[in-house]
Amino acid sequence: MSYQTVIVLDFGGQYKELIARRVRECGVYSVILPGDVDLERIKSMAPIGIILTGGPDSVYREGAPRCDKALFDLGVPILGICYGLQLMVYSTGGTVSPCDVSEYGRTEMTVDTACVLFRGLAASQIGLMSHTDQVSVLPEGFRNAGSTDHCPNAAIANDDRRLYGVQFHPEVENTPNGTTMIHNFLYQVCGATGDYDMRDYEAVMIEQIRKQVGSEHVILGLSGGVDSSVCAALLAKAIPGQLHCIFVDHGLMRKNEGDEVEAAFSGRDLDFIRVNAEAHFLEKLKGVTDPEQKRKIIGAEFVRMFEAESAKLGDVKFLAQGTIYPDVIESGAWNSATIKSHHNVGGLPDDIRFTGLVEPLRGLFKDEVRALGRQLGLPKAFVERQPFPGPGLAVRVIGEITKEKLDMLRDADAIFREEMAKASAVADQYFAVLTDTKSVGVIGDFRTYGYTVALRAVRTTDFMTCTPADLGFDLLTRVASRIPNEVKGISRVVYDITGKPPGTIEWE
Ligand code: XMP
């Protein structure tokens, strides 16, 4: 792919993906690299611009994320954001000092409308601030381009060297005109032409897949999740008749989900193989209560079933996977500890017999994968799905798993989802958990003794941390009244208000 590219250099800030996505939304391809990446690698990619992310550190601290100072002499336009601005100033001869008054949140600013970043905007702007250090002395050749009451250098510019910096975060929604500022940087400074577009991406990927695969056949493990589903739809279009999707239905899916997955792929030019393995998985999980043990058993059995099924297909050379960009972003030495280590149940062993790996979504963010899915005609409900763990409901039935408990949970979860949809409630992930605690209840004149269901609904952007979603009492009480009335065996409903940390999103 030869799109114009902007490199986002990561200095540990939480918004690096957001910056890269904003750039792509402006029609410019972007990649994220660790801030300390070798300059030769940057040069070899011939970027039209570079953006330095924020980060929680202070530039003067020993061990703080740094970059090669020669970065600023490459002649490539650079925009430094927050810590990125401070690093630019520190590296080019200016001074950064602790703030007298730290600024957090939406802050009024006055910007210089003659500065290219703010072209077309009013002088009075709002910017999201979050800093305890700030620029106190500008490096030679730079001029001030914006300020707040407490931050004299909220924006700086060096037009000759095409270096710009902002103390606020233009990538977030709390900076209302932030996207215009990024757009100005891309189009007025970097010379972007806007050659990146999802519609073209599809065509480019189809051509690449055809070139890689030729007339060979491809196997894909389809889980029903967004990534593998979009991957399947794309491959079916690229290489009709050459794709075999193996859908191992482990019986741990949500209500009707297995059939929905099958229905979404009927009518596409692919070989859909559904392995109904519920009884097999339940047998293997009998008596198992330890969460890690459950995951291990499901992972191992999944691979076994996948291999057995794929062996029946004979000599298939290629394996496709729905790997997406956030799965492969490299991180710098200073923040490697935050790498996510989830082992997906679809993860296959390294020694698997295939000679080639097809990963057409490797360059895309989740929202781009969803857009591509819509473009390929997948049902809306499908592409907008919330994440679902590979081990499925096995980690949402606490303690031993039985068919009876799974069915109870499926019904309770379906009620919760139905009410969430009716109320248009906002949460990034939500589901029911069947705890192993029984309690006494009463329905009509009868005493009951049934299980407790916990409802979980969270707000998160990266799933690494979360806060409980405020669903309001009306919705919660409606769900709490329906579940014990409609699902036999459940007598009590509680709402989980634990954040992450200290809790995880799933219970097991
Ligand atoms: P936790 O529970 O660790 O979950 O806070 C974070 C996100 O990951 C999902 N999750 C999984 N996804 N395989 C997956 O593909 C797994 O084994 C797995 N366990 C948790 C979880 O639903 C949440 O979105």
Side-chain angles (χ1 to χ4, degrees):
M1 268 177 280
S2 56
Y3 298 117
Q4 286 187 325
T5 300
V6 163
I7 296 178
V8 175
L9 287 182
D10 171 26
F11 295 99
Q14 55 176 325
Y15 297 130
K16 63 174 185 276
E17 291 188 17
L18 200 52
I19 297 170
R21 279 168 43 207
R22 287 279 178 266
V23 171
R24 291 187 184 194
E25 281 162 22
C26 290
V28 182
Y29 191 64
S30 61
V31 294
I32 301 171
L33 292 177
D36 55 358
V37 68
D38 197 83
L39 281 195
E40 290 308 313
R41 185 151 164 219
I42 293 183
K43 284 193 219 160
S44 74
M45 296 172 77
I48 60 164
I50 296 172
I51 300 182
L52 315 180
T53 76
D57 229 307
S58 169
V59 281
Y60 290 110
R61 196 187 65 80
E62 206 179 315
R66 301 263 161 76
C67 60
D68 189 330
K69 286 188 180 176
L71 179 76
F72 301 96
D73 300 320
L74 288 180
V76 179
I78 301 180
L79 172 65
I81 296 176
C82 194
Y83 181 84
L85 154 78
Q86 295 166 11
L87 190 62
M88 176 186 280
V89 166
Y90 167 83
S91 307
T92 54
T95 309
V96 175
S97 317
C99 304
D100 291 335
V101 180
S102 301
E103 289 176 310
Y104 294 101
R106 290 166 65 99
T107 308
E108 282 182 26
M109 317 185 282
T110 305
V111 298
D112 175 2
T113 53
C115 172
V116 66
L117 290 184
F118 306 116
R119 203 168 275 174
L121 295 174
S124 171
Q125 292 293 323
I126 300 286
L128 182 91
M129 287 286 188
S130 174
H131 65 119
T132 48
D133 282 357
Q134 65 186 14
V135 175
S136 47
V137 181
L138 292 181
E140 207 184 306
F142 281 78
R143 68 188 170 85
N144 176 276
S147 60
T148 72
D149 283 351
H150 299 289
C151 179
N153 292 303
I156 66 169
N158 183 330
D159 296 314
D160 291 343
R161 295 176 68 187
R162 298 190 296 173
L163 303 179
Y164 299 87
V166 290
Q167 183 57 66
F168 57 92
H169 289 274
E171 69 276 20
V172 301
E173 282 170 9
N174 274 322
T175 300
N177 291 316
T179 303
T180 304
M181 298 169 197
I182 292 173
H183 194 277
N184 280 344
F185 174 68
L186 298 171
Y187 286 80
Q188 317 267 346
V189 182
C190 303
T193 56
D195 62 355
Y196 179 67
D197 183 315
M198 279 311 296
R199 277 165 304 207
D200 300 343
Y201 190 94
E202 179 189 322
V204 170
M205 278 324 303
I206 286 178
E207 202 185 309
Q208 262 191 25
I209 293 165
R210 287 184 181 151
K211 213 157 127 197
Q212 184 188 6
V213 172
S215 57
E216 296 294 341
H217 282 231
V218 179
I219 287 183
L220 170 74
L222 188 66
S223 69
V226 177
D227 305 340
S228 65
S229 298
V230 174
C231 191
L234 180 64
L235 285 165
K237 191 164 175 184
I239 45 165
Q242 291 164 249
L243 175 66
H244 308 267
C245 291
I246 300 177
F247 169 47
V248 179
D249 183 350
H250 47 26
L252 305 165
M253 310 276 272
R254 287 169 291 203
K255 196 167 182 176
N256 302 330
E257 206 166 22
D259 295 341
E260 283 166 16
V261 174
E262 190 162 353
F265 289 96
S266 68
R268 284 181 196 262
D269 206 345
L270 52 80
D271 170 27
F272 188 91
I273 304 161
R274 178 169 178 175
V275 188
N276 287 315
E278 181 187 34
H280 177 81
F281 275 87
L282 282 181
E283 180 58 33
K284 294 283 173 191
L285 290 165
K286 209 170 177 173
V288 180
T289 55
D290 177 63
E292 280 309 302
Q293 196 63 14
K294 285 182 186 175
R295 278 173 193 273
K296 280 204 186 103
I297 292 170
I298 296 167
E301 287 308 311
F302 182 92
V303 171
R304 237 178 50 80
M305 309 229 90
F306 184 87
E307 282 182 327
E309 220 39 59
S310 68
K312 292 185 197 161
L313 294 169
D315 186 24
V316 176
K317 294 232 161 32
F318 289 94
L319 175 73
Q321 279 185 335
T323 315
I324 70 169
Y325 192 44
D327 300 333
V328 298
I329 294 174
E330 304 163 48
S331 34
W334 56 86
N335 62 0
S336 55
T338 60
I339 292 176
K340 191 168 176 176
S341 63
H342 263 310
H343 184 74
N344 201 334
V345 81
L348 295 169
D350 296 339
D351 61 354
I352 204 141
R353 66 191 157 83
F354 301 96
T355 49
L357 198 58
V358 186
E359 294 181 306
L361 311 180
R362 227 182 134 79
L364 298 185
F365 285 111
K366 195 81 176 189
D367 41 4
E368 294 178 308
V369 173
R370 292 188 210 276
L372 180 60
R374 279 191 289 271
Q375 205 169 295
L376 289 163
L378 281 173
K380 188 167 174 267
F382 228 79
V383 289
E384 278 162 21
R385 262 186 182 176
Q386 44 175 316
F388 186 61
L393 300 183
V395 292
R396 294 181 185 169
V397 168
I398 310 307
E400 188 180 358
I401 299 159
T402 63
K403 170 106 173 79
E404 190 198 5
K405 284 185 178 176
L406 284 168
D407 285 341
M408 262 190 259
L409 175 59
R410 271 191 272 262
D411 286 342
D413 185 68
I415 291 172
F416 185 31
R417 286 194 285 144
E418 190 187 315
E419 291 295 336
M420 287 286 289
K422 264 198 230 159
S424 305
V426 182
D428 300 296
Q429 191 174 5
Y430 52 93
F431 50 87
V433 175
L434 188 75
T435 74
D436 55 355
T437 297
K438 283 187 148 184
S439 72
V440 174
V442 58
I443 290 187
D445 292 333
F446 296 99
R447 174 189 182 278
T448 57
Y449 185 58
Y451 285 103
T452 306
V453 155
L455 306 177
R456 182 90 167 124
V458 298
R459 299 307 317 264
T460 176
T461 49
D462 58 6
F463 297 88
M464 311 279 280
T465 60
C466 80
T467 51
D470 182 356
L471 299 183
F473 223 60
D474 284 354
L475 171 58
L476 288 172
T477 47
R478 216 164 27 247
V479 178
S481 139
R482 275 191 68 188
I483 291 178
N485 272 307
E486 295 175 37
V487 188
K488 201 160 170 282
I490 297 176
S491 60
R492 200 169 287 263
V493 178
V494 297
Y495 187 52
D496 178 359
I497 52 165
T498 321
K500 172 182 179 179
T504 49
I505 295 176
E506 302 288 346
W507 273 38
E508 286 197 337

